[in-house]
Amino acid sequence: MNLDKVDMKIIELLRNNSRESIQKIAEQVNLSRSAVDKRIQSLIQENVITGFTISTCFDQRLSPSDDIHSYLLIKSGSVDCKQIFKHLKSAGYDFQFESIYGEFDCLIRVNSTRLPLLYEIKKFIIDIGGIESIHILPVLDIKHE
């Protein structure tokens, strides 16, 4: 499925508030309520949107100085790392991407340890096809000396 700027904006709005009314989303993307509803249904059918969740106080950082993040290690198989980077960039995820040498081909730093988001990104990458493996490594603690 090719996502356009309106689809990306709808996803962003739902990511910020999954309980937002379709009417309010429609107003923000300058479309009719029915057009937005059709787009959301299409995003669900194409497995771009795989669920609607709530946020809790446990999802928030404890303080602005916390450096909470995770890594995804990817064996790209038949896919070039540049393709993975472009695919992720098109979805608007907050990440840092590096092509590396060794057992893995790509290293992605995601500024979150929220497992639903990490699994969403993993699925998004797998959907490219040709990916050999992806390992998710949430950082649990950072020692500052």
Side-chain angles (χ1 to χ4, degrees):
M1 175 176 200
N2 291 330
L3 302 179
D4 62 16
K5 289 181 180 182
V6 175
D7 291 326
M8 296 308 298
K9 181 66 176 177
I10 291 169
I11 291 168
E12 177 187 341
L13 292 168
L14 288 170
R15 218 183 243 141
N16 291 336
N17 180 2
S18 62
R19 296 176 52 116
E20 187 70 83
S21 73
I22 293 176
Q23 181 60 44
K24 286 187 180 179
I25 292 171
E27 290 168 5
Q28 293 182 53
V29 297
N30 297 317
L31 290 177
S32 69
R33 185 199 174 292
S34 61
V36 170
D37 187 45
K38 285 179 185 176
R39 282 179 178 254
I40 291 172
Q41 293 308 314
S42 177
L43 291 167
I44 292 168
Q45 288 174 349
E46 294 293 327
N47 288 318
V48 174
I49 295 176
T50 58
F52 295 86
T53 63
I54 61 166
S55 295
T56 67
C57 62
F58 304 111
D59 296 332
Q60 307 302 316
R61 292 182 174 199
L62 297 176
S63 72
S65 64
D66 289 341
D67 190 17
I68 305 300
H69 59 275
S70 300
Y71 293 102
L72 280 76
L73 292 170
I74 302 171
K75 284 186 184 180
S76 61
S78 63
V79 179
D80 185 82
C81 286
K82 290 178 185 178
Q83 289 175 292
I84 298 169
F85 172 78
K86 287 178 184 177
H87 193 64
L88 281 172
K89 191 173 181 182
S90 73
Y93 291 112
D94 182 17
F95 68 94
Q96 294 173 337
F97 188 96
E98 296 187 36
S99 181
I100 58 176
Y101 177 79
E103 183 179 350
F104 297 95
D105 303 302
C106 310
L107 173 70
I108 300 171
R109 177 185 160 140
V110 179
N111 295 324
S112 175
T113 57
R114 290 181 43 236
L115 289 178
L117 174 61
L118 297 172
Y119 285 121
E120 173 185 318
I121 293 170
K122 179 179 179 178
K123 183 182 180 329
F124 192 75
I125 295 169
I126 288 170
D127 287 345
I128 296 171
I131 301 295
E132 218 175 288
S133 69
I134 300 176
H135 298 272
I136 298 175
L137 306 168
V139 174
L140 300 178
D141 191 16
I142 298 173
K143 302 293 185 207
H144 297 282
E145 297 185 37

